Amino acid sequence: MRRKAVAVTDAAQGLLFAPADVDVEVDVEIGAAAAIAPVSAEALLATLSDWAERGWIRRLDAALARFVDETCAGMSAPALLAIALTAHMEGRGHACVAIDELVTAPEALLAWKPEALAALAAVMASLPDGSVAWIAALSTCAAVCADGSVAGADRPLVLQRGRLYLRRYWNYERRVAAQVASRAAAIEPVADEAGARRWLDRLFPARPGDPSVDRPASGELDWQKIACAVALRGRFTVITGGPGTGKTWTAARLLALLFATATDRARLRVALAAPTGKAAARLKQSIAAALVGLHGHLGAELPLDGFAASLGAARTLHSLLGARPDTRRFRHHAGNPLEVDVLVVDEASMVHLEMMAALLEAVPAGARIVLLGDKDQLASVEAGAVLGELCRDAERVRYRADTARYIAGVAGQ
């Protein structure tokens, strides 16, 4: 499963996810490895070196396969090829490789040029058919932990549910999955639903207060209003949509709603962040302008001008977490969390798997996280498309009955 991050189980209920290892298991009979009769490992390594010279894969990819062959006895060609291509796909932004996709549809998975695909097809023709044999070969490899157990914690690769990972990306994925599942499960009842309804009606009037943003016609569902209602009682929110759909506009109204319903407005700590400095500056400008505009609409009823002025500068994620020179570690982490009640992250599609793991662990468990972005734009530079995986099944709109009742009462939808 390319760019795998987590498996969605309930996309509409504040986005509730389960760790990736809940997927259907691939049962493997380890003894099947003995039946494999592929080309020699040395011939395969020579082929990989040739591909690296041609620029089809990285030298690093071929070197990893050779390292595994040198350190593990009895390596087979299918296992070495799978390991090299897993490293290759990591370099192209994918956290793992689904062995079934690699065996049955390599052209779709790799998207190589015709010459490279023809060379790959020639190699694949001399290797066993079917993913079961490949998985069996990987399962007997001393460099691969076949079930993600602690016993194999020193092995550089992990094979789980038919997917092959470099270990650190498997760890990142599990950390993200655990954080999202925990935060999405933390649904807090809204103490004053009538008050929340009043503020939502004021923030989302029937006729637009901002002519630059289209509002739903009478009788149509107001998804922006619904998003704010759901986020009001959740700790993990994703607001996604294409260009011009009003993601930041909605986020500003969510912040206004949180400010209006806060027990102590003066103590509400909000942080704004984005992967790049340009995106962070644009987020702060848009949020501040929207809040000032709302103040003009609401007047003294809600002092949003002061709230907008109290917001600090938006920061890059590296600056927010406190990047340390010459290390991948940050100053803020689970043991030294950020001092924040609400974190809004724009352009979340650019946040790769490693950064998302660090970010989620650095935010206090009781704080709200709001991710904004378009899953189809601005992919992350490093491995993992977390936002895309979180939003993969969101269009099915599978709200639970209690969520639907809550939305009807608080948002009137």
Side-chain angles (χ1 to χ4, degrees), residues 120-144:
L120 176 65
V123 171
M124 298 283 279
S126 65
L127 299 179
D129 266 340
S131 59
V132 171
W134 286 60
I135 292 173
L138 287 165
S139 298
T140 60
C141 174
V144 177

Side-chain angles (χ1 to χ4, degrees), residues 125-277:
S126 65
L127 299 179
D129 266 340
S131 59
V132 171
W134 286 60
I135 292 173
L138 287 165
S139 298
T140 60
C141 174
V144 177
C145 178
D147 59 1
S149 65
V150 177
D154 59 337
R155 300 182 184 184
L157 295 112
V158 174
L159 178 68
Q160 192 164 40
R161 311 302 188 254
R163 295 189 292 270
L164 185 62
Y165 297 79
L166 299 177
R167 173 167 289 278
R168 71 187 184 100
Y169 289 102
W170 178 79
N171 282 327
Y172 295 146
E173 180 172 305
R174 289 182 64 82
R175 287 162 55 187
V176 168
Q179 281 285 328
V180 172
S182 174
R183 293 177 184 277
I187 303 298
E188 294 186 358
V190 176
D192 182 8
E193 291 194 4
R197 171 68 180 269
R198 184 174 72 87
W199 282 116
L200 278 167
D201 288 344
R202 297 283 284 127
L203 293 168
F204 294 90
R207 289 189 294 179
D210 181 356
S212 67
V213 179
D214 292 334
R215 303 292 299 130
S218 178
E220 291 184 2
L221 288 175
D222 189 339
W223 290 109
Q224 294 168 332
K225 189 176 184 180
I226 291 173
C228 288
V230 173
L232 182 61
R233 69 172 193 167
R235 296 296 179 187
F236 185 82
T237 300
V238 173
I239 298 177
T240 184
T245 52
K247 296 182 291 293
T248 308
W249 187 90
T250 304
R253 276 148 182 78
L254 173 57
L255 290 178
L257 177 64
L258 294 173
F259 179 69
T261 57
T263 304
D264 187 349
R265 294 173 178 173
R267 293 181 177 273
L268 184 63
R269 301 168 300 178
V270 176
L272 306 176
T276 67

Side-chain angles (χ1 to χ4, degrees), residues 392-409:
R392 185 182 54 191
D393 293 334
E395 293 180 358
R396 297 183 184 181
V397 195
R398 294 172 294 181
Y399 285 109
R400 297 173 179 169
D402 66 316
T403 303
R405 287 192 296 270
Y406 162 77
I407 292 173

Side-chain angles (χ1 to χ4, degrees), residues 175 269 271 315-324 327-340 343 354-364:
R175 287 162 55 187
R269 301 168 300 178
R315 304 164 70 180
T316 65
L317 294 176
H318 283 84
S319 173
L320 177 74
L321 295 178
R324 294 176 171 179
T327 178
R328 302 181 80 95
R329 298 174 181 266
F330 296 99
R331 183 166 60 87
H332 290 289
H333 45 76
N336 181 34
L338 295 163
E339 296 182 356
V340 63
L343 172 63
E354 180 182 3
M355 175 60 79
M356 188 64 79
L359 179 67
L360 293 178
E361 291 176 347
V363 177

